Coordinates of all heavy atoms in Angstrom, one line a residue:
M1 N 11.9 11.8 16.2 CA 10.8 10.9 15.8 C 11.4 9.6 15.4 O 12.5 9.4 14.8 CB 10.1 11.6 14.7 CG 8.9 10.8 14.2 SD 7.9 11.8 13.0 CE 6.6 10.6 12.9
D2 N 10.6 8.5 15.6 CA 11.0 7.2 15.2 C 11.0 7.0 13.7 O 10.3 7.7 13.0 CB 10.0 6.1 15.7 CG 10.0 6.1 17.3 OD1 11.0 6.4 17.9 OD2 9.0 5.7 17.8
S3 N 11.9 6.2 13.2 CA 11.9 5.9 11.8 C 10.6 5.1 11.4 O 10.0 4.5 12.3 CB 13.1 5.1 11.4 OG 13.0 3.7 11.8
L4 N 10.3 5.2 10.2 CA 9.1 4.5 9.7 C 9.1 3.0 10.0 O 8.1 2.4 10.4 CB 8.9 4.7 8.2 CG 7.7 4.1 7.6 CD1 6.4 4.6 8.2 CD2 7.7 4.4 6.1
E5 N 10.3 2.4 9.8 CA 10.4 1.0 10.1 C 10.1 0.7 11.6 O 9.5 -0.3 11.9 CB 11.8 0.5 9.7 CG 12.0 0.3 8.2 CD 12.4 1.6 7.6 OE1 12.5 2.7 8.3 OE2 12.6 1.6 6.3
E6 N 10.6 1.5 12.5 CA 10.3 1.3 13.9 C 8.9 1.4 14.2 O 8.3 0.7 15.0 CB 11.1 2.3 14.7 CG 12.6 2.1 14.7 CD 13.4 3.2 15.4 OE1 12.8 4.1 16.0 OE2 14.6 3.2 15.3
V7 N 8.2 2.4 13.6 CA 6.8 2.6 13.9 C 6.0 1.4 13.4 O 5.1 0.9 14.1 CB 6.2 3.9 13.1 CG1 4.7 4.0 13.2 CG2 6.9 5.1 13.8
V8 N 6.3 0.8 12.2 CA 5.6 -0.3 11.7 C 5.9 -1.5 12.6 O 4.9 -2.2 13.0 CB 6.1 -0.7 10.3 CG1 5.6 -2.0 9.8 CG2 5.6 0.4 9.3
R9 N 7.1 -1.7 13.1 CA 7.4 -2.9 13.9 C 6.7 -2.7 15.3 O 6.2 -3.7 15.9 CB 8.9 -3.0 14.1 CG 9.6 -3.6 12.9 CD 11.1 -3.8 13.1 NE 11.7 -4.2 11.9 CZ 12.3 -3.3 11.1 NH1 12.5 -2.1 11.5 NH2 12.9 -3.7 10.0
T10 N 6.6 -1.5 15.8 CA 6.0 -1.2 17.1 C 4.5 -1.6 17.0 O 3.9 -2.0 18.0 CB 6.2 0.2 17.5 OG1 7.5 0.5 17.6 CG2 5.5 0.5 18.9
N11 N 3.9 -1.3 15.9 CA 2.4 -1.5 15.7 C 2.1 -2.8 15.0 O 1.0 -3.0 14.5 CB 1.8 -0.3 14.9 CG 1.9 0.9 15.7 OD1 1.3 1.1 16.8 ND2 2.7 1.9 15.3
C12 N 3.0 -3.8 15.0 CA 2.8 -5.0 14.3 C 1.5 -5.8 14.8 O 0.8 -6.3 14.0 CB 4.0 -6.0 14.5 SG 5.3 -5.6 13.3
K13 N 1.2 -5.8 16.1 CA 0.1 -6.5 16.6 C -1.2 -5.9 16.0 O -2.1 -6.7 15.6 CB 0.0 -6.5 18.1 CG 1.0 -7.3 18.8 CD 0.9 -7.3 20.3 CE 2.0 -8.2 20.9 NZ 1.9 -8.2 22.3
T14 N -1.3 -4.6 16.0 CA -2.5 -4.0 15.4 C -2.6 -4.2 13.9 O -3.6 -4.6 13.4 CB -2.5 -2.4 15.6 OG1 -2.3 -2.2 17.0 CG2 -3.7 -1.8 15.1
T15 N -1.4 -4.1 13.2 CA -1.4 -4.4 11.8 C -1.8 -5.8 11.5 O -2.6 -6.1 10.6 CB 0.0 -4.1 11.2 OG1 0.4 -2.8 11.6 CG2 0.1 -4.2 9.8
D16 N -1.3 -6.7 12.3 CA -1.6 -8.1 12.0 C -3.1 -8.5 12.3 O -3.7 -9.3 11.6 CB -0.7 -9.0 12.9 CG 0.8 -9.0 12.4 OD1 1.0 -8.7 11.2 OD2 1.7 -9.3 13.2
A17 N -3.7 -7.8 13.3 CA -5.1 -8.0 13.6 C -5.9 -7.5 12.4 O -6.9 -8.2 12.0 CB -5.5 -7.2 14.8
I18 N -5.6 -6.4 11.8 CA -6.3 -5.9 10.6 C -6.0 -6.9 9.4 O -6.9 -7.2 8.7 CB -5.8 -4.5 10.3 CG1 -6.3 -3.5 11.3 CG2 -6.4 -4.1 8.9 CD1 -5.7 -2.2 11.3
A19 N -4.8 -7.3 9.3 CA -4.4 -8.2 8.2 C -5.1 -9.5 8.2 O -5.2 -10.2 7.1 CB -2.9 -8.4 8.2
K20 N -5.7 -10.0 9.3 CA -6.4 -11.3 9.3 C -7.6 -11.2 8.4 O -8.1 -12.3 8.0 CB -6.7 -11.6 10.8 CG -5.5 -12.0 11.6 CD -5.9 -12.4 13.0 CE -4.7 -12.7 13.8 NZ -5.0 -13.0 15.2
R21 N -8.1 -10.1 8.2 CA -9.3 -9.9 7.3 C -8.9 -9.9 5.8 O -9.8 -9.9 5.0 CB -10.1 -8.7 7.7 CG -10.8 -8.9 9.1 CD -11.5 -7.7 9.5 NE -10.5 -6.8 10.1 CZ -10.8 -5.6 10.6 NH1 -12.0 -5.2 10.5 NH2 -9.9 -4.8 11.1
L22 N -7.6 -9.8 5.6 CA -7.1 -9.7 4.2 C -6.5 -10.9 3.7 O -6.0 -11.7 4.6 CB -6.1 -8.5 4.1 CG -6.6 -7.1 4.5 CD1 -5.4 -6.1 4.5 CD2 -7.7 -6.6 3.5
D23 N -6.4 -11.1 2.4 CA -5.6 -12.2 1.9 C -4.1 -11.9 2.0 O -3.3 -12.8 2.0 CB -6.0 -12.5 0.4 CG -7.4 -13.0 0.3 OD1 -7.9 -13.6 1.3 OD2 -7.9 -12.9 -0.8
G24 N -3.7 -10.7 2.0 CA -2.4 -10.2 2.0 C -2.3 -8.7 2.1 O -3.2 -8.0 1.7
Y25 N -1.1 -8.2 2.5 CA -0.9 -6.8 2.6 C 0.6 -6.5 2.5 O 1.4 -7.4 2.8 CB -1.5 -6.2 3.8 CG -0.8 -6.5 5.1 CD1 0.2 -5.6 5.5 CD2 -1.0 -7.6 5.8 CE1 0.9 -5.9 6.7 CE2 -0.3 -7.9 6.9 CZ 0.7 -7.0 7.4 OH 1.4 -7.3 8.5
M26 N 0.9 -5.3 2.2 CA 2.3 -4.9 2.3 C 2.4 -3.4 2.6 O 1.5 -2.6 2.3 CB 3.1 -5.2 1.0 CG 2.5 -4.5 -0.2 SD 3.1 -5.2 -1.8 CE 4.8 -4.9 -1.6
V27 N 3.5 -3.0 3.3 CA 3.7 -1.6 3.7 C 5.0 -1.2 2.9 O 6.0 -1.9 3.0 CB 3.9 -1.4 5.2 CG1 4.1 0.0 5.5 CG2 2.7 -1.9 5.9
I28 N 4.9 -0.1 2.2 CA 6.0 0.4 1.4 C 6.5 1.7 1.9 O 5.7 2.6 2.1 CB 5.6 0.5 -0.1 CG1 5.1 -0.8 -0.6 CG2 6.8 0.9 -1.0 CD1 4.3 -0.7 -1.9
N29 N 7.8 1.9 2.0 CA 8.4 3.2 2.4 C 8.3 4.1 1.1 O 8.9 3.7 0.1 CB 9.8 3.0 2.9 CG 10.4 4.3 3.4 OD1 10.1 5.4 2.9 ND2 11.4 4.1 4.3
N30 N 7.6 5.2 1.2 CA 7.5 6.1 0.0 C 8.8 6.7 -0.4 O 9.0 7.1 -1.5 CB 6.5 7.2 0.3 CG 5.1 6.7 0.3 OD1 4.8 5.6 -0.2 ND2 4.2 7.4 0.9
A31 N 9.7 6.9 0.6 CA 11.0 7.6 0.3 C 11.9 6.8 -0.7 O 12.5 7.4 -1.6 CB 11.8 7.9 1.6
N32 N 11.9 5.5 -0.5 CA 12.8 4.7 -1.3 C 12.1 3.5 -2.0 O 12.8 2.8 -2.7 CB 14.0 4.1 -0.5 CG 13.5 3.3 0.7 OD1 12.3 2.9 0.8 ND2 14.3 3.2 1.7
G33 N 10.8 3.4 -1.9 CA 10.1 2.3 -2.5 C 10.3 0.9 -2.0 O 10.0 -0.1 -2.6
R34 N 11.0 0.8 -0.8 CA 11.3 -0.4 -0.2 C 10.2 -1.0 0.6 O 9.4 -0.3 1.3 CB 12.5 -0.2 0.7 CG 13.2 -1.5 1.1 CD 14.5 -1.3 1.9 NE 14.1 -1.6 3.3 CZ 14.4 -0.9 4.3 NH1 15.1 0.2 4.2 NH2 14.0 -1.3 5.5
V35 N 10.0 -2.3 0.5 CA 8.9 -3.0 1.2 C 9.4 -3.1 2.7 O 10.5 -3.7 2.9 CB 8.6 -4.4 0.6 CG1 7.6 -5.1 1.5 CG2 8.1 -4.2 -0.8
I36 N 8.6 -2.6 3.6 CA 8.9 -2.7 5.0 C 8.4 -4.0 5.7 O 9.0 -4.6 6.4 CB 8.4 -1.5 5.8 CG1 9.0 -0.2 5.2 CG2 8.7 -1.6 7.3 CD1 8.3 1.0 5.7
K37 N 7.1 -4.3 5.4 CA 6.5 -5.5 5.9 C 5.5 -6.0 4.9 O 4.9 -5.2 4.2 CB 5.7 -5.1 7.2 CG 5.0 -6.2 7.9 CD 4.6 -5.9 9.3 CE 3.9 -7.0 10.0 NZ 4.6 -8.2 10.2
T38 N 5.5 -7.3 4.8 CA 4.6 -7.9 3.8 C 4.2 -9.3 4.2 O 4.9 -10.0 5.0 CB 5.2 -8.0 2.4 OG1 4.3 -8.5 1.4 CG2 6.5 -8.9 2.4
T39 N 3.0 -9.8 3.7 CA 2.6 -11.1 3.9 C 2.7 -11.9 2.6 O 2.4 -13.1 2.6 CB 1.1 -11.2 4.4 OG1 0.3 -10.6 3.5 CG2 1.0 -10.5 5.8
F40 N 3.1 -11.2 1.5 CA 3.3 -11.9 0.2 C 4.7 -12.4 0.1 O 5.6 -12.1 0.9 CB 3.1 -10.9 -0.9 CG 1.7 -10.2 -0.9 CD1 1.5 -8.9 -0.6 CD2 0.6 -11.0 -1.2 CE1 0.3 -8.3 -0.7 CE2 -0.7 -10.4 -1.3 CZ -0.8 -9.1 -1.0
T41 N 4.9 -13.3 -0.8 CA 6.3 -13.8 -1.1 C 7.1 -12.7 -1.6 O 6.6 -11.7 -2.1 CB 6.2 -14.9 -2.1 OG1 5.8 -14.4 -3.4 CG2 5.4 -16.1 -1.7
D42 N 8.4 -12.8 -1.6 CA 9.3 -11.8 -2.1 C 9.0 -11.5 -3.6 O 9.0 -10.3 -4.0 CB 10.8 -12.2 -1.9 CG 11.2 -12.1 -0.5 OD1 10.5 -11.5 0.3 OD2 12.2 -12.8 -0.1
T43 N 8.8 -12.5 -4.4 CA 8.6 -12.3 -5.8 C 7.3 -11.5 -6.0 O 7.2 -10.6 -6.8 CB 8.5 -13.7 -6.5 OG1 9.7 -14.4 -6.3 CG2 8.3 -13.5 -8.0
M44 N 6.2 -12.0 -5.3 CA 4.9 -11.3 -5.4 C 5.0 -9.8 -4.9 O 4.4 -8.9 -5.5 CB 3.9 -12.1 -4.6 CG 2.5 -11.5 -4.8 SD 1.8 -11.6 -6.4 CE 1.4 -13.3 -6.5
S45 N 5.7 -9.6 -3.8 CA 5.9 -8.3 -3.3 C 6.5 -7.4 -4.3 O 6.1 -6.2 -4.5 CB 6.7 -8.3 -2.0 OG 6.0 -9.0 -1.0
Q46 N 7.6 -7.8 -4.9 CA 8.3 -7.0 -5.9 C 7.4 -6.7 -7.1 O 7.5 -5.6 -7.6 CB 9.6 -7.6 -6.3 CG 10.7 -7.6 -5.2 CD 10.9 -6.3 -4.6 OE1 11.0 -5.3 -5.3 NE2 10.9 -6.2 -3.3
R47 N 6.7 -7.7 -7.5 CA 5.7 -7.4 -8.6 C 4.7 -6.4 -8.3 O 4.4 -5.5 -9.1 CB 5.1 -8.7 -9.0 CG 5.5 -9.2 -10.4 CD 4.7 -10.3 -10.9 NE 4.1 -11.2 -9.9 CZ 4.0 -12.5 -10.1 NH1 4.4 -13.1 -11.2 NH2 3.5 -13.2 -9.1
K48 N 4.2 -6.5 -7.1 CA 3.1 -5.5 -6.6 C 3.7 -4.1 -6.5 O 3.1 -3.2 -6.8 CB 2.5 -6.0 -5.3 CG 1.6 -7.2 -5.5 CD 0.8 -7.5 -4.3 CE 0.0 -8.7 -4.4 NZ -0.9 -8.8 -5.6
V49 N 4.9 -4.0 -6.0 CA 5.6 -2.7 -5.9 C 5.8 -2.1 -7.2 O 5.4 -0.9 -7.4 CB 7.0 -2.9 -5.1 CG1 7.8 -1.6 -5.3 CG2 6.8 -3.2 -3.7
V50 N 6.3 -2.9 -8.2 CA 6.5 -2.3 -9.5 C 5.2 -1.8 -10.1 O 5.1 -0.7 -10.6 CB 7.1 -3.4 -10.4 CG1 7.1 -2.9 -11.9 CG2 8.6 -3.7 -10.0
H51 N 4.1 -2.6 -10.0 CA 2.9 -2.2 -10.7 C 2.0 -1.3 -9.9 O 1.6 -0.2 -10.3 CB 2.1 -3.5 -11.1 CG 2.9 -4.3 -12.1 ND1 3.1 -3.9 -13.4 CD2 3.4 -5.5 -12.0 CE1 3.8 -4.8 -14.0 NE2 4.0 -5.8 -13.2
L52 N 1.6 -1.7 -8.7 CA 0.6 -0.9 -7.9 C 1.2 0.3 -7.3 O 0.5 1.4 -7.3 CB 0.0 -1.8 -6.8 CG -0.7 -3.0 -7.4 CD1 -1.2 -3.9 -6.2 CD2 -1.9 -2.6 -8.2
F53 N 2.4 0.3 -6.8 CA 3.0 1.5 -6.2 C 3.2 2.6 -7.3 O 2.9 3.7 -7.1 CB 4.4 1.1 -5.5 CG 5.0 2.3 -4.8 CD1 4.4 2.9 -3.7 CD2 6.3 2.7 -5.2 CE1 5.0 3.9 -3.1 CE2 6.9 3.7 -4.5 CZ 6.3 4.4 -3.4
E54 N 3.7 2.1 -8.5 CA 3.8 3.1 -9.6 C 2.5 3.6 -10.1 O 2.3 4.7 -10.4 CB 4.6 2.4 -10.7 CG 6.1 2.1 -10.4 CD 6.8 3.4 -10.0 OE1 6.7 4.4 -10.6 OE2 7.6 3.3 -9.0
F55 N 1.5 2.7 -10.1 CA 0.1 3.1 -10.5 C -0.4 4.2 -9.6 O -1.0 5.2 -10.0 CB -0.8 1.8 -10.5 CG -2.3 2.2 -10.7 CD1 -2.7 2.5 -11.9 CD2 -3.1 2.2 -9.6 CE1 -4.1 2.8 -12.2 CE2 -4.5 2.5 -9.8 CZ -4.9 2.8 -11.1
M56 N -0.2 4.0 -8.3 CA -0.7 5.0 -7.3 C 0.1 6.3 -7.5 O -0.6 7.4 -7.5 CB -0.4 4.5 -5.9 CG -1.0 5.4 -4.8 SD -2.8 5.6 -4.9 CE -3.2 6.5 -3.5
K57 N 1.4 6.3 -7.7 CA 2.1 7.6 -8.0 C 1.6 8.3 -9.2 O 1.4 9.5 -9.2 CB 3.6 7.3 -8.1 CG 4.2 6.9 -6.8 CD 5.7 6.9 -6.8 CE 6.5 6.5 -8.0 NZ 7.9 6.3 -7.8
L58 N 1.3 7.5 -10.3 CA 0.8 8.1 -11.5 C -0.6 8.6 -11.3 O -0.9 9.7 -11.8 CB 0.8 7.0 -12.6 CG 0.3 7.5 -14.0 CD1 1.2 8.6 -14.6 CD2 0.3 6.3 -15.0
S59 N -1.4 7.9 -10.6 CA -2.8 8.4 -10.3 C -2.8 9.7 -9.5 O -3.6 10.6 -9.8 CB -3.6 7.3 -9.6 OG -3.7 6.1 -10.3
R60 N -2.0 9.7 -8.5 CA -1.9 11.0 -7.7 C -1.4 12.1 -8.6 O -2.0 13.2 -8.5 CB -0.9 10.8 -6.6 CG -1.4 9.8 -5.5 CD -0.5 9.7 -4.3 NE -0.5 10.9 -3.6 CZ 0.5 11.7 -3.3 NH1 1.7 11.3 -3.6 NH2 0.4 12.8 -2.6
S61 N -0.5 11.9 -9.5 CA 0.0 12.9 -10.4 C -1.1 13.4 -11.3 O -1.3 14.6 -11.5 CB 1.2 12.4 -11.2 OG 1.6 13.4 -12.1
C62 N -1.9 12.5 -11.8 CA -3.1 12.9 -12.7 C -4.1 13.7 -12.0 O -4.6 14.7 -12.5 CB -3.7 11.6 -13.3 SG -2.8 10.8 -14.5
V63 N -4.4 13.4 -10.8 CA -5.4 14.1 -10.0 C -4.8 15.5 -9.7 O -5.6 16.5 -9.9 CB -5.7 13.4 -8.6 CG1 -6.4 14.3 -7.7 CG2 -6.5 12.2 -8.9
R64 N -3.6 15.7 -9.4 CA -3.0 17.0 -9.2 C -2.9 17.8 -10.4 O -3.0 19.0 -10.4 CB -1.6 16.9 -8.5 CG -1.6 16.6 -7.0 CD -0.3 16.7 -6.4 NE 0.7 15.9 -7.1 CZ 1.1 14.7 -6.6 NH1 0.7 14.2 -5.5 NH2 2.0 14.0 -7.3
D65 N -2.7 17.1 -11.6 CA -2.7 17.9 -12.9 C -4.1 18.4 -13.2 O -4.2 19.5 -13.7 CB -2.3 17.0 -14.0 CG -0.8 16.7 -14.0 OD1 -0.1 17.4 -13.3 OD2 -0.4 15.8 -14.8
L66 N -5.2 17.7 -12.8 CA -6.5 18.2 -13.1 C -6.9 19.3 -12.1 O -7.6 20.2 -12.5 CB -7.5 17.0 -12.9 CG -7.4 15.9 -14.0 CD1 -8.2 14.7 -13.6 CD2 -7.7 16.5 -15.4
N67 N -6.5 19.2 -10.8 CA -6.9 20.1 -9.8 C -5.8 20.2 -8.8 O -5.8 19.4 -7.9 CB -8.2 19.8 -9.2 CG -8.8 20.9 -8.4 OD1 -8.2 22.0 -8.3 ND2 -9.9 20.7 -7.7
P68 N -4.8 21.1 -8.9 CA -3.6 21.1 -8.0 C -3.9 21.1 -6.5 O -3.1 20.4 -5.8 CB -2.9 22.4 -8.4 CG -3.3 22.6 -9.8 CD -4.8 22.1 -9.9
P69 N -5.0 21.7 -6.0 CA -5.2 21.5 -4.5 C -5.6 20.1 -4.1 O -5.4 19.8 -2.9 CB -6.3 22.5 -4.2 CG -6.4 23.4 -5.4 CD -5.9 22.6 -6.6
D70 N -6.1 19.3 -5.0 CA -6.5 18.0 -4.6 C -5.4 17.0 -4.5 O -4.3 17.2 -5.1 CB -7.5 17.4 -5.7 CG -8.9 18.0 -5.5 OD1 -9.2 18.6 -4.4 OD2 -9.7 17.8 -6.4
D71 N -5.6 16.0 -3.7 CA -4.6 14.9 -3.6 C -5.4 13.6 -3.5 O -6.4 13.5 -2.9 CB -3.7 15.1 -2.4 CG -2.5 14.2 -2.4 OD1 -2.2 13.6 -3.5 OD2 -1.8 14.2 -1.4
L72 N -4.8 12.5 -4.1 CA -5.4 11.2 -4.1 C -4.8 10.4 -2.9 O -3.6 10.3 -2.9 CB -5.2 10.5 -5.4 CG -5.8 9.2 -5.6 CD1 -7.4 9.3 -5.6 CD2 -5.4 8.6 -6.9
A73 N -5.6 10.0 -2.0 CA -5.1 9.2 -0.8 C -5.4 7.7 -0.9 O -4.7 6.9 -0.4 CB -5.7 9.8 0.5
T74 N -6.5 7.4 -1.5 CA -7.0 6.0 -1.6 C -7.5 5.6 -2.9 O -8.2 6.3 -3.6 CB -8.1 5.8 -0.6 OG1 -7.7 6.2 0.7 CG2 -8.5 4.3 -0.5
V75 N -7.1 4.4 -3.4 CA -7.5 3.8 -4.6 C -8.1 2.4 -4.3 O -7.4 1.6 -3.6 CB -6.4 3.7 -5.7 CG1 -6.9 3.0 -6.9 CG2 -5.9 5.1 -6.1
R76 N -9.2 2.1 -4.9 CA -9.9 0.8 -4.7 C -10.1 0.2 -6.0 O -10.8 0.8 -6.9 CB -11.2 1.0 -4.0 CG -11.9 -0.3 -3.7 CD -13.2 0.1 -2.9 NE -14.0 -1.1 -2.8 CZ -15.2 -1.1 -2.1 NH1 -15.6 0.0 -1.7 NH2 -15.8 -2.2 -2.0
L77 N -9.4 -0.9 -6.3 CA -9.5 -1.6 -7.6 C -10.3 -2.9 -7.3 O -10.0 -3.7 -6.4 CB -8.2 -2.0 -8.1 CG -7.2 -0.8 -8.3 CD1 -5.8 -1.3 -8.6 CD2 -7.7 0.1 -9.4
S78 N -11.3 -3.2 -8.2 CA -12.0 -4.4 -8.1 C -11.9 -5.2 -9.4 O -12.0 -4.7 -10.5 CB -13.5 -4.2 -7.9 OG -13.8 -4.1 -6.6
T79 N -11.6 -6.5 -9.2 CA -11.5 -7.4 -10.4 C -12.6 -8.4 -10.2 O -13.4 -8.3 -9.2 CB -10.1 -8.1 -10.5 OG1 -10.0 -9.0 -9.4 CG2 -9.0 -7.1 -10.5
T80 N -12.7 -9.4 -11.0 CA -13.8 -10.4 -10.8 C -13.5 -11.3 -9.6 O -14.5 -11.8 -9.1 CB -13.9 -11.3 -12.1 OG1 -12.6 -11.8 -12.4 CG2 -14.4 -10.5 -13.3
S81 N -12.3 -11.4 -9.2 CA -12.0 -12.3 -8.0 C -11.4 -11.6 -6.8 O -11.4 -12.1 -5.7 CB -11.0 -13.4 -8.5 OG -9.8 -12.8 -9.0
H82 N -10.8 -10.4 -7.0 CA -10.2 -9.7 -5.8 C -10.5 -8.2 -5.8 O -10.9 -7.6 -6.8 CB -8.6 -9.9 -5.9 CG -8.2 -11.2 -5.7 ND1 -8.0 -12.1 -6.7 CD2 -7.9 -11.9 -4.6 CE1 -7.6 -13.3 -6.2 NE2 -7.5 -13.2 -4.9
E83 N -10.3 -7.7 -4.6 CA -10.4 -6.3 -4.4 C -9.0 -5.8 -3.8 O -8.5 -6.5 -2.9 CB -11.5 -5.9 -3.4 CG -11.7 -4.5 -3.2 CD -12.9 -4.2 -2.4 OE1 -12.9 -4.5 -1.2 OE2 -13.9 -3.8 -2.9
I84 N -8.5 -4.8 -4.4 CA -7.2 -4.3 -4.0 C -7.3 -2.8 -3.5 O -7.9 -2.0 -4.2 CB -6.1 -4.3 -5.1 CG1 -5.9 -5.8 -5.5 CG2 -4.8 -3.7 -4.7 CD1 -5.2 -6.0 -6.8
M85 N -6.9 -2.5 -2.3 CA -6.9 -1.2 -1.8 C -5.5 -0.7 -1.7 O -4.6 -1.4 -1.2 CB -7.5 -1.2 -0.3 CG -9.0 -1.5 -0.3 SD -10.0 -0.2 -1.0 CE -9.7 1.1 0.2
I86 N -5.3 0.5 -2.2 CA -4.0 1.2 -2.1 C -4.2 2.5 -1.3 O -5.0 3.3 -1.7 CB -3.4 1.5 -3.5 CG1 -3.4 0.3 -4.4 CG2 -2.0 2.1 -3.4 CD1 -3.1 0.6 -5.8
I87 N -3.5 2.6 -0.2 CA -3.7 3.7 0.7 C -2.4 4.4 0.8 O -1.4 3.9 1.3 CB -4.2 3.3 2.1 CG1 -5.5 2.5 1.9 CG2 -4.4 4.5 3.0 CD1 -5.9 1.6 3.1
Y88 N -2.4 5.7 0.4 CA -1.2 6.5 0.4 C -1.2 7.4 1.6 O -2.1 8.1 1.9 CB -1.1 7.3 -0.9 CG 0.1 8.2 -0.9 CD1 1.3 7.7 -1.4 CD2 0.1 9.5 -0.5 CE1 2.5 8.5 -1.5 CE2 1.3 10.3 -0.5 CZ 2.4 9.7 -1.0 OH 3.6 10.5 -1.1
A89 N -0.1 7.4 2.4 CA 0.1 8.3 3.5 C 1.4 9.1 3.2 O 2.1 8.7 2.2 CB 0.2 7.6 4.8
E90 N 1.8 10.0 4.0 CA 3.0 10.9 3.7 C 4.2 10.0 3.7 O 5.1 10.2 2.8 CB 3.1 11.9 4.8 CG 4.2 12.9 4.5 CD 4.2 14.0 5.5 OE1 3.2 14.4 6.0 OE2 5.4 14.5 5.8
E91 N 4.4 9.1 4.6 CA 5.7 8.3 4.7 C 5.6 6.9 4.1 O 6.6 6.3 3.8 CB 6.1 8.2 6.1 CG 6.6 9.6 6.7 CD 7.1 9.4 8.1 OE1 7.3 8.3 8.5 OE2 7.4 10.5 8.7
F92 N 4.4 6.4 4.0 CA 4.3 5.0 3.5 C 3.0 4.8 2.7 O 2.1 5.6 2.7 CB 4.3 4.0 4.7 CG 3.0 4.2 5.6 CD1 1.9 3.4 5.3 CD2 3.0 5.1 6.6 CE1 0.8 3.6 6.1 CE2 1.9 5.2 7.4 CZ 0.8 4.5 7.2
T93 N 3.0 3.7 1.9 CA 1.9 3.3 1.2 C 1.5 1.9 1.7 O 2.4 1.0 1.8 CB 2.2 3.2 -0.3 OG1 2.5 4.6 -0.8 CG2 1.0 2.7 -1.1
L94 N 0.2 1.6 1.9 CA -0.3 0.3 2.3 C -1.1 -0.3 1.1 O -2.0 0.4 0.6 CB -1.2 0.5 3.5 CG -1.9 -0.8 4.0 CD1 -0.9 -1.8 4.5 CD2 -2.9 -0.4 5.1
I95 N -0.8 -1.5 0.8 CA -1.5 -2.2 -0.3 C -2.1 -3.4 0.4 O -1.4 -4.2 1.0 CB -0.6 -2.6 -1.4 CG1 0.0 -1.3 -2.1 CG2 -1.4 -3.5 -2.4 CD1 1.0 -1.6 -3.2
G96 N -3.4 -3.6 0.2 CA -4.1 -4.7 0.8 C -4.9 -5.5 -0.3 O -5.4 -4.8 -1.2
K97 N -5.0 -6.8 -0.2 CA -5.7 -7.6 -1.2 C -6.7 -8.5 -0.5 O -6.3 -9.1 0.5 CB -4.7 -8.4 -2.0 CG -5.3 -9.3 -3.0 CD -4.2 -10.1 -3.7 CE -4.8 -11.3 -4.4 NZ -3.8 -12.3 -4.8
Q98 N -7.9 -8.6 -1.0 CA -8.9 -9.4 -0.4 C -9.7 -10.1 -1.5 O -10.1 -9.5 -2.5 CB -9.8 -8.5 0.5 CG -10.9 -9.2 1.2 CD -11.7 -8.3 2.1 OE1 -11.6 -7.1 2.0 NE2 -12.5 -8.8 3.0
A99 N -10.0 -11.3 -1.3 CA -10.8 -12.1 -2.2 C -12.3 -11.6 -2.1 O -12.8 -11.3 -1.0 CB -10.7 -13.6 -2.0
L100 N -13.0 -11.5 -3.2 CA -14.4 -11.2 -3.2 C -15.2 -12.5 -3.0 O -14.8 -13.6 -3.5 CB -14.8 -10.6 -4.6 CG -14.2 -9.2 -4.9 CD1 -14.6 -8.8 -6.3 CD2 -14.6 -8.2 -3.8
K101 N -16.2 -12.4 -2.2 CA -17.0 -13.6 -1.9 C -18.2 -13.7 -2.7 O -18.7 -12.8 -3.3 CB -17.3 -13.6 -0.4 CG -16.1 -13.6 0.4 CD -16.4 -13.5 1.9 CE -15.1 -13.6 2.6 NZ -15.1 -13.4 4.0

């Protein structure tokens, strides 16, 4: 099987087409927490990894503590100016940010 990085690179055109509707996105390797692809600056990417990736891991843990068979796959956060989607898959996490209109 292809490595996660190869799969992301192979599907870049599809990913980029989806990303045109977002203000920014990033794909994180769940195994090591490394950013594979991002449209954010390096500084912004690292900040998002520290906060949002860890938030998703903690949220998933809380859901499993409440009901072990359940798993959390998607989190949607809304602020007054942005909406942030965190989508967890087995090998990667996708974080997307979109301005509210």
